[in-house]
Amino acid sequence: MRLAMLSALTGLLVACEGRVVAPGGGDGTAAGIGGTGAGAGGGDEITPVEVILPELPFAGSRAPRLSHVEYENTARDLLGSATTLGLSSAFTPDTTSSTFTNNGADLVVTATQWGDYQTAAEELARRATLNTAALTAAAGGTLPADDAALVAALGRRAFRRALTNEEQASLMTLFGRGPTYYSTQTARLAGARLVLEALLQSPHFLYRVELSSGAGPNVSLNAYELANRLSYGLWQSMPDTALLAAAADGSLLDAAAYSAQVTRMLGDARTGASIQVFHAQLLDQAKYADITRSTTLFPEFSVELRESMRQEQVRFIDAVAIAGNGGIRQLLTEKAAYVDRRLAAVYGLPGTFNDTYQRVALTDGKRGGLLTQVGFLALNASSTESDPIHRGVFVNHKVLCAPLPAPPNMVPPLPRGDPNVPKTLRQRITEFTGAGTCGAGCHSTMINPAGFAFEHYDALGRWRDTDNNLPVDARDSYVFGRERKSYNGGVEMQNVMAEDRMTHDCYARHWLEFLAGRGYAPSDKGLIQRVGKSSLADDLAVRDVLRTLVESEPFKTRAGDM
Amino acid sequence: MIDWSRRKFLKGIGGVTLALPLFESLLSREARAQVTRHRFLMVMRAGNGIVQEGGDGGERFWPSATGAISAATMRGADATRATSVLADYAEKLLFIKKVRLPFARNSCGHSEAIPQVLTAQNHTGGSGNAALALGRSVDWHLSDALNGPGQAPLCFMAGPTSAYITNALSWSGPQQRAAADRSPRTVFMRLTGLSTAPAEVQRLIAERRKSVNDLVRGQLTTLKNDPRMSTKDKQRLDQHLTAVRDMEVQMTCDLPMDQATAVNAITAPEGNDVRADVARRFMDLAAWAFNCRLNHVATMQIGHGNDATQYIIDGQKLPSFHFISHRIYSDGSEGEAIPDAVDLHAKVDKFQMTLFKHLLDRLSSYPSAYGGTLLDDSVAVWTNDLGSGPPHDASNTPWVLAGSGGGQLNTGRVIDHNRKNVNQVLNTLINAMGVRKGDGSPVDDFGDASLAKGNVTGALVGV
């Protein structure tokens, strides 16, 4: 029976640009070759045993560049500022090939960027040496009396490691020249300013350098490298004083001490900020600013609604995942909205609302979870119609990590159809891309079933029961790994996804990429498998996922030089 | 040797509010187009025509014969001609006589001539500033290719801000008059990002940055050479290192101090008596900008449309040049005669050639990255939107070219274009800048589509 089922499935998916994979089977985790899904056919099915994959050390760049978010946060923490300083807003935006902007191996320093760095470094150095108090903050809260110790302290914080003797000597030379260039400042502030200018333009500041090496398959990072991985993973910023101290005395290499640091850092607001950044990038939040609708067709739309969409998502994530300590299951199923008067109008909520956001429990079964929020729905829609194809692609890529191939180069527009024969958008898409058409391979099995679930939401995300005066059909099914699961509507589909390994594996995979500051690598499969499995079985909160990942052996090591 | 091809230069971004003068913050974010060789174009324009055959004063501008020219003949038999001033550059010159501006000038001979010069397009018609070119000018076209899309060419005007006919040489698009800078000082500040800080302060900034860069460069080099780095990491670090080197070149690519001082000295650039000086300063800046790869294309209009500058030549302040070109003390057709007007006009022509020679001197003062001088990589152009004083005709406008665009032009000769249209000259300039059609063939179709295609016969090497 199992063989017969696999054969049928394979045949179906071969049409998907020739790939012989199940929707979730690209990386060999739960939904793929080691999947746990039960067969869909019933009868004498054989429950497959999940093959436990090895957890391999991290591979990748030894010098990933700081992302602009990381730069901004690092500058804030280095200067001891309560808020970010905004200097990176003038930087040229980065482009990376993966989901997140912190894929350091893709980030380069062009002439333009170098100019930006130089400008920002000089400004940061100026601010850090405005007076003794500012310099004390830059030195980590205590101002050494000795100039050499001051340079060492500044260097340790900027490089996130102890300076070498050679580096210390070079910087002391610069320190001595400071008064030549900043004659209106005290010699100490002037020297520190020039030293900071050099530190902040150094590759050891701009890159997260990892030089630990060895012949074995696993090479342990040294304590400073580990501290950097941890802080840039959880905080998108430099290690704080306590973490640097634990690196300096080597205690961070002790598993218990390391876990204690992780616990401390997970409770810090900077981890919450990272959780927000992660979801903002995963959900393409920045694109909300480009959403436009005709106010004739959609009178609820206004330019201000864009920010309301973003605010709802931020508040939802905060309530569910940060303050509420939930995980991906809750993010997909929580039945609450955070609305101002603009969003309330789109949602058709009864009651009185103003510009203040308030939590509203969603009890009518029409909404719940991230994917029935206006932001996701309106972003993945045309100016007049819902867009099941892009909604479906998003779910496949971002929620399920299904290996969709790239679309063909020349995608013809969807035919308008005969105006005398009214049809729903779903019907038109099905005729064009469904079974028996050239788009059947990907669309009918992966994209359309995921997108059609959200057909009750129009181009702005408003609920609708009809489309083109015909009843909306939001029922469909999707093969999760090896199991076909049915649902009716976006809420049900999210409920289904919340209980499927494919979703949990995908969420773990995204977090692994984000924490490591790099793209996905096949060697990540083993770790993803373990974390995804635990996320589903143990109902892990986001912070639990983070802890599991950063306490894993792969996170603490890198592949050896074999 | 600097690898210029990897450089990215930038124009001002504005909005950066930092305490120090910053060179880099004002550099453009547009990557320059990838070119195999850097070439530069500067076009200078004068008004009111010249004294040449077909006018009222006989031939007093061009060498006496078409064909090859030499320094010897220019200094000898043709010593009285205005172009003799350029004898030092004889072998690098290309004179193109009798170039026609093709479209009718029914309202005002000046207003409706200038817009055609670099566009080879018709105009909207009208006197004063009403006449607008119906197409983009060649400087903008070439800027896309040589600077990269998004970076504007330099556009200068030695002249007043407001006038009967203001700047009308450069057009960023149909009916889109390009803004022209009047102040060399402003241009210099913008190109360098310098504040009004004194020179000593600026020197200290450059020195301080060099100290920092020396340290950073060493660290980058060490990291890049670390055997543990992957090939991709090495490539990224090498790119960073190149960026640092490029910026160092930028920091050291200073305008010579005497020129910077002269630029800084002009505080009222629109005045009559500094007009020639302003023109020279703009030429200084163009040559310097070319050398530093800040821009590859520049235009400069000297005087407004019907240039009324009272040129000061050999200590003598002449009447309004427009009066001189009319031979009367009037901008119209009635007025007291200027007895020696033709001589004065010829004197202005010669003065214009001395101005043009200043540009050639400046371009020649910078070494080329490919051997020779920057002039060899460039084409410097002087033209006039009218043929002669009276009768303000436009079928025989003069084009004086110098430099070969890196060997693209057949120089050292006079070519009679025989009243064919200006579009063929503009095609020639485009080709001289190394720009070709998509299939590699020479460009022959710039300007209005109704004009006969082609290039100036004999001007281009191999065409």
Side-chain angles (χ1 to χ4, degrees), chain B residues 268-288:
Chain B
E270 297 178 23
N272 177 89
D273 293 358
V274 295
R275 186 132 311 148
D277 204 23
V278 167
R280 291 189 193 96
R281 301 293 78 80
F282 276 138
M283 291 184 248
D284 294 347
L285 290 174
W288 166 75

Side-chain angles (χ1 to χ4, degrees), chain A residues 66-266:
Chain A
L66 299 188
S67 71
H68 292 343
V69 171
E70 291 168 337
Y71 184 98
E72 192 67 54
N73 291 344
T74 304
R76 174 199 63 199
D77 295 344
L78 189 68
L79 267 61
S81 171
T83 58
T84 52
L85 306 171
L87 292 177
S88 69
S89 62
F91 292 0
T92 307
D94 283 324
T95 302
T96 65
S97 57
S98 51
T99 304
F100 304 103
T101 60
N102 67 342
N103 186 350
D106 275 1
L107 302 178
V108 297
V109 178
T110 61
T112 310
Q113 188 59 51
W114 177 242
D116 290 341
Y117 279 150
Q118 189 178 53
T119 300
E122 291 176 353
E123 174 61 6
L124 289 170
R126 185 187 71 83
R127 294 191 192 194
T129 54
L130 282 173
N131 48 47
T132 303
L135 184 58
T136 303
T142 304
L143 190 62
D146 175 61
D147 289 343
L150 171 63
V151 169
L154 295 174
R156 184 167 57 251
R157 284 170 55 75
F159 285 7
R160 287 95 61 180
R161 62 165 172 77
L163 296 178
T164 65
N165 291 338
E166 187 182 353
E167 288 165 345
Q168 173 83 17
S170 301
L171 290 166
M172 285 306 293
T173 303
L174 270 190
F175 185 89
R177 287 188 208 155
T180 304
Y181 304 118
Y182 298 114
S183 56
T184 60
Q185 293 184 283
T186 66
R188 196 151 206 247
L189 289 174
R193 183 170 174 177
L194 190 56
V195 164
L196 277 167
E197 286 182 9
L199 287 170
L200 298 177
Q201 292 174 65
S202 167
H204 296 287
F205 173 77
L206 297 171
Y207 297 87
R208 292 187 287 115
V209 179
E210 290 179 358
L211 293 177
S212 290
S213 63
N218 288 22
V219 175
S220 296
L221 300 178
N222 69 40
Y224 281 115
E225 292 169 345
L226 188 56
N228 274 276
R229 254 195 202 178
L230 190 55
S231 65
Y232 281 97
L234 294 181
W235 288 350
Q236 305 273 285
S237 187
M238 61 179 282
D240 65 359
T241 303
L243 187 58
L244 274 178
D249 65 18
S251 62
L252 191 64
L253 299 177
D254 173 74
Y258 181 82
S259 286
Q261 289 288 345
V262 170
T263 301
R264 180 181 71 84
M265 294 174 72
L266 286 173

Side-chain angles (χ1 to χ4, degrees), chain A residues 339-342 344-345 349-356 358-360:
Chain A
V339 299
D340 61 359
R341 61 182 171 80
R342 298 181 184 85
L349 295 172
T352 304
F353 297 88
N354 53 29
D355 289 338
T356 305
Q358 54 183 288
R359 183 183 190 278
V360 177

Side-chain angles (χ1 to χ4, degrees), chain B residues 298-309:
Chain B
T299 60
M300 178 170 66
Q301 180 174 325
I302 304 177
H304 56 277
N306 50 348
D307 182 12
T309 304

Side-chain angles (χ1 to χ4, degrees), chain A residues 61-63 65 90 92 104-105 107 111-112 114 116 118-119 122 170 177 181-182 197 202-203 207 211, chain B residues 10 18 22 24 29 204 207-209 211-213 215-216 219 228-229 232-233 236 239-240 243-244 247:
Chain A
S61 172
R62 287 185 178 276
R65 204 210 72 195
T92 307
L107 302 178
T112 310
W114 177 242
D116 290 341
Q118 189 178 53
T119 300
E122 291 176 353
S170 301
R177 287 188 208 155
Y181 304 118
Y182 298 114
E197 286 182 9
S202 167
Y207 297 87
L211 293 177
Chain B
L10 315 166
L18 295 174
L22 300 164
E24 303 76 28
R29 296 185 180 283
L204 284 172
E207 186 182 296
R208 172 172 55 77
R209 288 181 170 175
S211 297
V212 170
N213 277 1
L215 199 62
V216 168
Q219 293 168 345
R228 291 168 288 193
M229 289 290 165
K232 186 179 178 187
D233 282 342
R236 290 166 57 245
Q239 184 176 358
H240 187 160
V244 175
M247 206 58 77

Side-chain angles (χ1 to χ4, degrees), chain B residues 110 321-328 330-333 341 345 389-390 392:
Chain B
H110 300 277
F321 183 35
H322 191 232
F323 289 178
I324 292 172
S325 74
H326 280 215
R327 314 304 190 226
I328 55 177
S330 169
D331 290 318
S333 56
H345 198 147
H392 277 23

